Amino acid sequence: AVVSTQSTGVYYDSGSYNKRGMIARCSFQLQFINDFRVKYLRDMLGMEIENIVISSETHPIIDGRSEKQRNSFDCGVFALANVERYLFQPNFPPVSQSLMKLHRCRYLKELFNLSRDLELPE
């Protein structure tokens, strides 16, 4: 789930789900955000934050309509590609199984470059 600045939550899932499950998963994530803000940011770190509660009523959940993956190993790649699509729409191509090899190679290249930049051992 992605919480948007437009006061909506967008749900992307490349597996199988129904609307009830989508709302339940997003509600769980929204509650996690609320708990993190109060228990960690405010109570532990002493940050002054607005006392608002984020819920599916304040941020309606919409289906991002991710294409379904056809294997058991691309879920993380679908997740990253869907986040990119959400952030860069409409300039990002639709996420599809046929493009997964391209996405995997691109992400591996980015990870390799990052490890090189951080001077991590090979």
Side-chain angles (χ1 to χ4, degrees):
V2 176
V3 177
S4 138
T5 57
Q6 292 97 14
S7 298
T8 60
V10 182
Y11 183 79
Y12 293 99
D13 191 335
S14 61
S16 61
Y17 63 94
N18 57 35
K19 184 170 181 147
R20 191 170 133 209
M22 176 182 78
I23 298 295
R25 289 175 182 159
C26 288
S27 295
F28 176 82
Q29 296 299 328
L30 293 173
Q31 185 58 52
F32 175 83
I33 292 169
N34 290 322
D35 291 344
F36 179 80
R37 293 179 79 243
V38 171
K39 294 175 183 173
Y40 185 72
L41 297 179
R42 188 189 72 199
D43 295 349
M44 289 185 72
L45 298 181
M47 293 176 70
E48 293 184 26
I49 57 173
E50 292 182 52
N51 193 19
I52 59 171
V53 174
I54 302 169
S55 69
S56 59
E57 287 78 35
T58 62
H59 292 71
I61 309 301
I62 58 175
D63 190 345
R65 302 190 186 275
S66 175
E67 181 175 318
K68 303 304 173 217
Q69 69 187 74
R70 296 187 297 267
N71 59 39
S72 60
F73 52 84
D74 277 330
C75 53
V77 180
F78 263 93
L80 291 172
N82 278 315
V83 168
E84 282 187 307
R85 183 172 181 225
Y86 175 80
L87 293 173
F88 301 118
Q89 277 183 351
N91 299 322
F92 200 77
V95 177
S96 68
Q97 187 70 54
S98 63
L99 294 175
M100 283 300 108
K101 189 173 187 177
L102 172 69
H103 288 299
R104 284 193 301 267
C105 290
R106 195 167 50 82
Y107 296 143
L108 284 172
K109 178 181 177 246
E110 291 298 321
L111 287 170
F112 175 78
N113 289 339
L114 178 63
S115 69
R116 189 187 62 220
D117 292 346
L118 295 173
E119 298 179 0
L120 298 175
E122 290 185 26

